[in-house]
Amino acid sequence: MKEYTAKTVEEAIALACGELGIEENRLIFEVKEEKKGLFKKSATIAVYGDEDAATCAEEYLKKAVGALGIEITATSKMEDGIIKVTIDSERNPVLIGRGGKTLQALNELTKLAVSNKFKKRYRILLDVGGYKEDKYDRLASIAKREANRVLRTHVNVQLDPMTPDERRVVHNTLTGWEHIKTESNGEGDNRAVEIIYVD
């Protein structure tokens, strides 16, 4: 968070935009103080960046999971426009849940909390004790195996339904493969990737 002070809120915004080199509609800020005296006027705004959003995600998770009586450590980094948060605890299986459902719910709640606070839509990706990384590796292997089968048989294959980040792994894994394209089909929890043969 960085604070900017000028005579008016508008001038403080212009000052922040000029220094940060961004347009006003991309500036995330809140008015901290506005004085409208007879002889002296001033306004201070607090400007937030991606690192503030990442810190907010960490703090929200510690509080939310702490309310369940589970203590966690959380570390975050910004990568390719995504806030990636890795959490660890002595009860990782509980935080992951069956088929990763609890982790998925925590991910959604954190995304909502951060996006609401900063009035900006953030992409957030949670991992618990390397669970997601391991799953991504398995999904990449499955994608390659099934793509090779499609190349041999020319018969399209639909994979099991997946979360958006998991579907992205499959799409990215098979990008650039000759005679192969991928499409996401279905709605909600039933959305799945189809591996398609193309001439």
Side-chain angles (χ1 to χ4, degrees):
M1 181 190 75
K2 195 167 181 186
E3 293 190 348
Y4 293 87
T5 302
K7 284 185 178 176
T8 64
V9 170
E10 290 73 21
E11 285 178 20
I13 290 169
L15 185 67
C17 289
E19 187 180 301
L20 298 170
I22 60 174
E23 294 165 23
E24 186 179 325
N25 61 357
R26 290 185 55 227
L27 192 72
I28 303 166
F29 71 94
E30 67 175 324
V31 177
K32 284 288 190 186
E33 190 177 56
E34 197 172 3
K35 292 178 182 171
K36 293 183 177 178
L38 193 58
F39 301 107
K40 191 180 179 190
K41 290 198 300 183
S42 76
T44 301
I45 63 169
V47 176
Y48 299 100
D50 291 337
E51 63 281 355
D52 297 304
T55 301
C56 174
E58 286 181 32
E59 288 169 358
Y60 173 81
L61 280 162
K62 284 176 184 172
K63 203 178 286 182
V65 177
L68 303 172
I70 302 173
E71 202 172 299
I72 64 164
T73 59
T75 53
S76 62
K77 62 180 177 180
M78 194 77 179
E79 205 172 90
D80 301 324
I82 302 170
I83 297 171
K84 295 187 174 182
V85 187
T86 303
I87 57 180
D88 222 331
S89 79
E90 290 181 357
R91 300 182 66 192
N92 283 349
V94 174
L95 296 178
I96 293 165
R98 191 170 183 175
K101 290 288 186 193
T102 306
L103 177 57
Q104 193 179 337
L106 274 174
N107 203 124
E108 279 305 305
L109 288 171
T110 307
K111 187 165 69 174
L112 282 171
V114 174
S115 297
N116 281 342
K117 175 164 184 175
F118 293 100
K119 307 292 183 273
K120 176 184 172 182
R121 201 183 150 118
Y122 279 99
R123 279 171 62 195
I124 293 177
L125 191 58
L126 294 190
D127 195 2
V128 174
Y131 169 81
K132 276 286 186 185
E133 284 303 320
D134 292 344
K135 189 161 191 183
Y136 291 160
D137 290 342
R138 287 198 307 276
L139 285 173
S141 296
I142 290 167
K144 289 173 188 172
R145 186 187 70 217
E146 294 302 325
N148 279 317
R149 186 197 301 184
V150 170
L151 284 172
R152 278 196 321 273
T153 63
H154 296 193
V155 175
N156 300 344
V157 168
Q158 181 151 312
L159 303 176
D160 290 334
M162 297 175 198
T163 59
D165 57 297
E166 292 166 358
R167 291 196 304 273
R168 202 173 299 116
V169 169
V170 175
H171 291 307
N172 290 343
T173 299
L174 300 180
T175 294
W177 277 49
E178 279 189 52
H179 304 296
I180 290 288
K181 78 167 183 172
T182 57
E183 280 181 8
S184 287
N185 302 312
E187 297 295 326
D189 290 345
N190 294 318
R191 200 153 170 79
V193 177
E194 186 176 9
I195 302 173
I196 301 163
Y197 181 82
V198 287
D199 284 327

